[in-house]
Structures are given as structure tokens and as C-alpha cells.
Amino acid sequence: MTQPVVLITGAAKRVGRVIAEHFAQAGYAVVVHYGNSEAEALETVASMEAAGHRAISHRADLAIPSELSAMILATYARFGRLDVLVNCAAIFFPDTLADFSLEDLERSWQINCRAPLLLTQAFYQQARQRDQRGVVVNVVDQKVRANFHPEDFSYTVAKAALGNMTAMLAISGGSVLRVNALYPGLMTPSGDQTQADFEYSSERSTPLGYVAPLSEIAEAILLLTRPSFNGTEFVVDAGQNLVRVDRDVVNLYRSPPSD
């Protein structure tokens, strides 16, 4: 098979789906990973196939290491290659140093940091065995680029670890894998945000008065697959990281009630 192949975690909906569709339009065969969103994953695949693109879905629990290696193996069994791994899936919940639970910390670590690392390892092993080359793009978060605040503690700890592994993974990947990181800002409604809350926050959380559109997030990830990028940390957030905050913008900016 000569067509390049991309595996995107959390690609059934929201940001992951936009990234998947962007890669499909760029000529990639797409593996749509999902956890619990089977209906959305099947619909995403059907939509891409209807547009003439090649796509499959694959379910895996990112907290179970054996399912991660199995997903990489299944991709190679189906296509004979894997060119790009995009670690997009994440879990997010409110907690702080004062009240985080060990269970939540461990779950966040498993999904937000350990899973990308284990998927990268499995990708490396299979690509090296076949004398192939590939690239990994880890989706991190602008807040770990010196814009920390006390909220979302477990999530931030895991994302900070993931971001700080970029150079080490790029060096460790040698000539087999290139590894880059993308740092987005506010992208879609989170937690209990309403659409009105999201729009209100989008207007106030960056110097420009708007957040980076999902299409540009997807385009930035595609850019990071180019041969010139390795160990690159790329912030695409419309300048959100320049606005220092002491709370998550999801909580800091709430749409005032209408009269």
C-alpha cells in the first residue's frame, strides 16, 4: 500500500474528528480510534467513506496497555504501514492540589500521558522492525507553557509530563520516529460550559478576541508531519498563553445571564 496511514486517538467526535477529516482530505487512510463513542466513530468513518476517503474505526481502552499495542498491530495488519500517530484523546475534570484523589490522578496519568507514550513505543517497535519511518504528534495544552493555574490539577500534571517528553522522545526515536508536540488553547466547550459560555470565553481569553479554529489546529498537526519538524513544540492558541490567568478560562469567563 502506497497511501499514507494516520491513527488518531479520540477521533470519533469533536477535535479528533476534525483532525481525522483533515488528514483524509490530505490523502491519508485514517484509523479512527474510540473508547466509548462507537456510534460517533462509525458515523465518522461512514462520512469519510461517503466522501471517497479510506477509513476504519478501532476501539481501545487507553488505560489498558495490551489494547494499545493491539491497536498498533491491527493497523499494520490492515494497511501494512503506519505513517502518523496523533495522540489527541484526553480526559479532563476539575480538581486541585487540596482535593485531588489518587484514583483521578492515576486515571489522568494513564490516559493523558502513559497511553501516548505506550502507543509511541509500539509504533517505534513496529516501524523499526519493518525498516519504515513515521511521525508522532502529541496534543498537549497551552497552559503548560508557563501559564499554569491551580485548577484541573490531575489533568495538568499529566499534560505537563507529556509536553516535557517531546525532546527526549524525538532523540529516542532516532531515525525511525520524529516526535512533535502541539499546544492548543480553548477549542470547544468543556465541562459544563454552554455554547454561550464558550463564545463569551473565546472573546476574552486571548489578546485577539477569538480562539484558534479547529481547522487551523488540524492544519498545524498536518504541518508537523513534514520532514523538517522533529522535537518541535508548536503553540497554536491565538495568543491565549500570553494572557496570564489564575483560573481555567472555562470558569473565569461565564456568559452573563440574559435579561
Side-chain angles (χ1 to χ4, degrees):
M1 179 174 170
T2 58
Q3 183 181 20
V5 178
V6 60
L7 165 61
I8 304 165
T9 64
K13 56 186 180 179
R14 291 164 59 91
V15 179
R17 175 167 179 166
V18 174
I19 297 168
E21 291 172 340
H22 200 81
F23 270 86
Q25 292 163 7
Y28 282 75
V30 181
V31 180
V32 175
H33 159 265
Y34 69 96
N36 299 313
S37 305
E38 181 177 19
E40 292 92 338
L42 294 176
E43 197 281 323
T44 296
V45 169
S47 175
M48 287 193 286
E49 289 179 333
H53 306 304
R54 191 173 185 183
I56 64 170
S57 62
H58 188 102
R59 184 193 177 281
D61 185 338
L62 297 182
I64 301 177
S66 61
E67 294 193 12
L68 304 180
S69 56
M71 180 164 61
I72 296 294
L73 285 171
T75 299
Y76 276 96
R78 179 65 177 270
F79 298 110
R81 63 189 293 167
L82 177 60
D83 298 88
V84 179
L85 167 64
V86 179
N87 287 305
C88 179
I91 58 171
F92 175 93
F93 41 79
D95 62 353
T96 66
L97 175 63
D99 62 16
F100 80 86
S101 70
L102 184 58
E103 180 181 3
D104 284 344
L105 181 66
E106 179 65 19
R107 180 70 175 169
S108 181
W109 169 258
Q110 290 172 350
I111 304 301
N112 297 334
C113 187
R114 190 181 73 178
L117 179 58
L118 293 179
L119 285 168
T120 299
Q121 180 190 47
F123 185 11
Y124 176 84
Q125 292 169 339
Q126 294 303 316
R128 183 179 63 174
Q129 178 181 320
R130 292 166 170 80
D131 195 27
Q132 297 177 354
R133 303 292 179 264
V135 60
V136 178
V137 180
N138 291 320
V139 179
V140 192
D141 193 309
Q142 63 80 31
K143 73 176 63 180
V144 305
R145 299 285 294 182
N147 199 12
F148 290 104
H149 55 73
E151 299 180 334
D152 317 318
F153 185 82
S154 295
Y155 166 87
T156 304
V157 166
K159 285 291 190 177
L162 179 62
N164 278 291
M165 285 195 292
T166 303
M168 183 188 71
L169 290 174
I171 292 169
S172 300
S175 63
V176 179
L177 293 183
R178 290 177 289 107
V179 182
N180 299 305
L182 181 85
Y183 293 79
L186 187 65
M187 295 185 288
T188 60
S190 301
D192 63 351
Q193 261 191 326
T194 65
Q195 184 60 33
D197 287 335
F198 176 74
E199 292 172 2
Y200 188 83
S201 181
S202 297
E203 294 172 356
R204 290 160 176 79
S205 59
T206 78
L208 302 176
Y210 59 84
V211 297
L214 297 185
S215 60
E216 292 187 5
I217 297 295
E219 182 62 28
I221 292 173
L222 188 61
L223 176 66
L224 289 173
T225 68
R226 301 292 190 263
S228 301
F229 295 95
N230 192 28
T232 300
E233 297 183 324
F234 196 13
V235 182
V236 183
D237 67 352
Q240 185 178 337
N241 70 97
L242 303 175
V243 181
R244 297 294 178 250
V245 294
D246 57 8
R247 300 196 67 192
D248 193 298
V249 295
V250 170
N251 301 316
L252 189 61
Y253 304 115
R254 292 285 185 171
S255 177
S258 56
D259 295 332

